[in-house]
Amino acid sequence: MKRVLLKLSGEALAGDKKTGFDEATVTEVAKQVSKILEKDIQVAIVIGGGNFWRGRSSEAIDRTKADQIGMLATVMNCLYVSEIFRSQGMKTAIMTPFQIGAFTELFSKDKAVKKLSKGTVVFFAGGTGHPYFSTDTATVLRAIEIEADEILLAKSIDGVYDSDPKVNPEAKKYDSIAIEDVVAQGLGVVDGAAAVLAKENRMPMLVFGLNEKNSIVNAARGKINGTKVTV
C-alpha cells in the first residue's frame, strides 16, 4: 500500500454533539494518520459536510445554491481538521476545484501528487466544484486522479449492512461485497455516480467505523472490522 484516500464523515467528526466539531475525535484521527505516514503511506483526505449542512433545508432554496453551501461546509471542515493535523506535527495542504482567495490552493493532480510524495497530507475540499455531485463522487474521482491504491471510508457505522442497523437489530454486516451488489441492493455506501466511477476504474473501498480504536491505522494495513467493497 503506497497511497490511500481517506473519506471522513462530517457527522462522525461531530461526535456525540451531532453538529460542529468534536476536537477529541479529530485529534484522535490526526494521531492515527500520523502513524500511517510513519509507515511511508501517503494520505489524502476528503471530508463530508453533514455536520453543518444536509442538502436542501427548505424548498425555497434552489438545489444548486444548496449544493454550493454544502461545498463550503466541506471547506470549513478541511480548514479545521487541517489545523488539528498541524498541531500534531504534520504538513498539510488544502485544495479546492475553485478559487477561495488565499484559503486554499486550486486543485492540480500534479501538485497534489508532488505534495503527497513529500509526506504532506492533502485535503480535497469543495467536492467536485459542481452541484448534483456528492462528496462520495468527489472521493472516488480524486482517488482515481491521484492513483490511490484504495479508498478508506470512515463512517459513523462500522461497515455495510443488508439493512439499516439503527432500524433493524437483526441487520447482517457483510465482510465483503461487490460494488455491483451494493448498487443492486440500494445499500447506500456511496451514491450511484460514485459507484459507477469506482467500478469502471477498479477502485476498491474499505468501509469501517471511525470510532473504533485504531480503526484508520488498521484499515491502512488491510485489517478492518468492517466491509471490503470489491470491484
Side-chain angles (χ1 to χ4, degrees):
M1 185 85 67
K2 176 187 175 185
R3 181 180 299 148
V4 297
L5 194 150
L6 172 64
K7 166 69 185 300
L8 297 170
S9 154
E11 297 96 319
L13 292 181
D16 294 335
K17 296 187 297 184
K18 307 299 183 185
T19 187
F21 306 110
D22 180 68
E23 187 169 331
T25 298
V26 179
T27 300
E28 174 58 24
V29 169
K31 289 178 178 178
Q32 290 193 59
V33 171
S34 182
K35 290 178 182 178
I36 295 172
L37 295 175
E38 290 171 2
K39 299 295 184 182
D40 293 324
I41 297 174
Q42 300 168 17
V43 182
I45 295 177
V46 171
I47 307 176
N51 51 328
F52 287 114
W53 186 254
R54 294 293 298 174
R56 294 170 72 182
S57 59
S58 164
E59 290 298 319
I61 299 177
D62 177 74
R63 168 66 188 270
T64 295
K65 298 302 180 186
D67 285 357
Q68 289 170 347
I69 295 170
M71 291 177 212
L72 293 176
T74 72
V75 174
M76 290 194 297
N77 279 346
C78 286
L79 286 168
Y80 177 86
V81 176
S82 170
E83 284 305 298
I84 299 297
F85 274 45
R86 285 173 179 264
S87 76
Q88 297 297 314
M90 286 174 276
K91 296 180 294 181
T92 66
I94 303 172
M95 291 187 162
T96 47
F98 42 78
Q99 294 278 11
I100 313 182
F103 287 13
T104 66
E105 299 179 49
L106 196 61
F107 171 75
S108 158
K109 171 186 174 174
D110 292 342
K111 287 182 180 178
V113 169
K114 185 175 182 180
K115 290 176 184 293
L116 288 165
S117 68
K118 292 183 176 180
T120 298
V121 178
V122 180
F123 290 81
F124 298 127
T128 66
H130 300 285
Y132 297 92
F133 292 99
S134 72
T135 50
D136 288 344
T137 306
T139 296
V140 179
L141 176 63
R142 295 292 182 243
I144 293 165
E145 288 181 301
I146 65 171
E147 300 175 56
D149 297 303
E150 203 160 41
I151 293 171
L152 309 182
L153 288 176
K155 292 179 168 283
S156 55
I157 58 173
D158 63 349
V160 181
Y161 288 78
D162 60 0
S163 59
D164 188 346
K166 295 177 183 177
V167 176
N168 177 17
E170 302 299 320
K172 171 191 171 186
K173 183 168 74 175
Y174 296 100
D175 293 325
S176 178
I177 186 170
I179 190 71
E180 295 96 329
D181 294 331
V182 168
V183 174
Q185 297 177 41
L187 298 179
V189 177
V190 293
D191 64 31
V196 170
L197 267 179
K199 181 177 183 296
E200 290 183 348
N201 293 276
R202 303 191 62 78
M203 179 58 65
M205 307 178 205
L206 294 178
V207 184
F208 58 95
L210 175 62
N211 294 322
E212 290 188 12
K213 185 176 177 59
N214 291 322
S215 61
I216 299 172
V217 172
N218 290 335
R221 295 172 179 168
K223 301 175 181 178
I224 61 165
N225 182 32
T227 305
K228 184 174 182 64
V229 180
T230 60
V231 290

